[in-house]
Amino acid sequence: MGMPIGMIVLLVVGVLVYFGLAHRILDRMRLTDKQALLFIGAIIAGSFFDIPLLREPTELSVNLGGAVIPALLAFWLIFKADETAERVRALFAAILVAGVVWLGSLYLPYEPENMFMDPKLIYGISAGLIAYLAGRSRRSAFIGGILGIILSDIVHFITVMRMGIAGTTSIGGADAFDATVIAGIVAVMVAELVGETREKLQGGPVLGPNRPEGLYEFSQEISPDKNVPQE
């Protein structure tokens, strides 16, 4: 059995963070390198632990690394958001992602052999793109992506309970872990790509009072005289 895709993605991201190659993205999300590495390590370690919640009629558990820790990270980022509008966009993105993923699970075949791509990749990538479109900023998109997948698991469990179907549901476990990680990474990378492209098309960082969030530090880095304070 090979290593889960989500685990591989987290290890790659961890290496990039360790060597300082994700510094600007983390700055704009208000995360330090140490905080990011701590969360990555906690998510990887926690993915091996399932917390049982219900036994009957449907067995329910929640994965520590696939649901609990990502949710804590998302709510922490919501708390650190500078504006109420950003918090609202993040939560709206999460609800929208959850709804789309849940609808997709109803109408798309679950078996990988019946689809052109592995379902967890489809859900993860789709969730990341939707989260960016709804959240717009890197932080809101990331929150929307990971919370949306977790919420879709919860909606799935409620649906199973209402239908009286016996079985096992693991929130954030198995394929949901991969989808959660992929959704968060895709959302941030799309936001970064679009943000950088718009920045270059506009002729570089905005230096006026209406500069987008996160560009102030960058404008200082490229200033010809770093000792001259930016107005």
Side-chain angles (χ1 to χ4, degrees):
M1 183 177 179
M3 183 180 294
I5 296 175
M7 197 80 70
I8 296 174
V9 171
L10 282 178
L11 290 174
V12 171
V13 172
V15 171
L16 294 177
V17 172
Y18 181 79
F19 287 102
L21 301 179
H23 185 69
R24 282 191 58 197
I25 298 177
L26 293 176
D27 277 352
R28 295 180 180 187
M29 292 179 63
R30 298 296 190 269
L31 279 172
T32 66
D33 291 359
K34 290 183 179 179
Q35 289 170 341
L37 289 173
L38 177 63
F39 275 111
I40 290 172
I43 289 173
I44 292 175
S47 66
F48 297 100
F49 298 94
D50 288 309
I51 304 172
L53 299 179
L54 287 177
R55 295 294 184 187
E56 295 180 355
T58 300
E59 186 175 341
L60 173 66
S61 63
V62 56
N63 187 269
L64 186 61
V68 177
I69 296 175
L72 290 176
L73 172 58
F75 285 117
W76 184 55
L77 291 174
I78 290 174
F79 175 77
K80 292 186 66 176
D82 300 319
E83 300 177 354
T84 302
E86 185 178 16
R87 298 186 181 98
V88 172
R89 289 198 306 270
L91 294 176
F92 173 72
I95 294 172
L96 185 60
V97 166
V100 171
V101 171
W102 178 70
L103 287 174
S105 68
L106 295 179
Y107 296 103
L108 293 177
Y110 183 76
E111 296 78 8
E113 59 271 13
N114 295 329
M115 301 181 69
F116 67 93
M117 185 185 295
D118 195 308
K120 58 177 170 284
L121 292 177
I122 294 177
Y123 293 135
I125 294 173
S126 301
L129 294 174
I130 294 168
Y132 165 70
L133 294 174
R136 292 190 292 174
S137 71
R138 294 160 181 80
R139 185 161 44 190
S140 295
F142 179 78
I143 293 170
I146 61 176
L147 273 188
I149 297 294
I150 296 171
L151 284 176
S152 69
D153 263 3
I154 296 174
V155 172
H156 171 73
F157 170 71
I158 294 174
T159 303
V160 169
M161 285 285 291
R162 292 183 61 183
M163 297 176 64
I165 301 175
T168 301
T169 300
S170 176
I171 298 176
D175 289 347
F177 173 82
D178 292 334
T180 301
V181 172
I182 293 170
I185 298 301
V186 168
V188 172
M189 294 308 298
V190 172
E192 178 69 10
L193 176 62
V194 173
E196 288 297 306
T197 302
R198 290 178 58 187
E199 188 176 302
K200 291 182 182 300
L201 291 175
Q202 293 171 359
V206 178
L207 300 179
N210 296 321
R211 62 172 64 87
E213 177 186 350
L215 293 185
Y216 178 77
E217 296 85 353
F218 183 60
S219 66
Q220 287 185 322
E221 292 177 7
I222 65 173
S223 174
D225 187 353
K226 295 184 179 180
N227 296 322
V228 178
Q230 302 292 323
E231 298 182 352

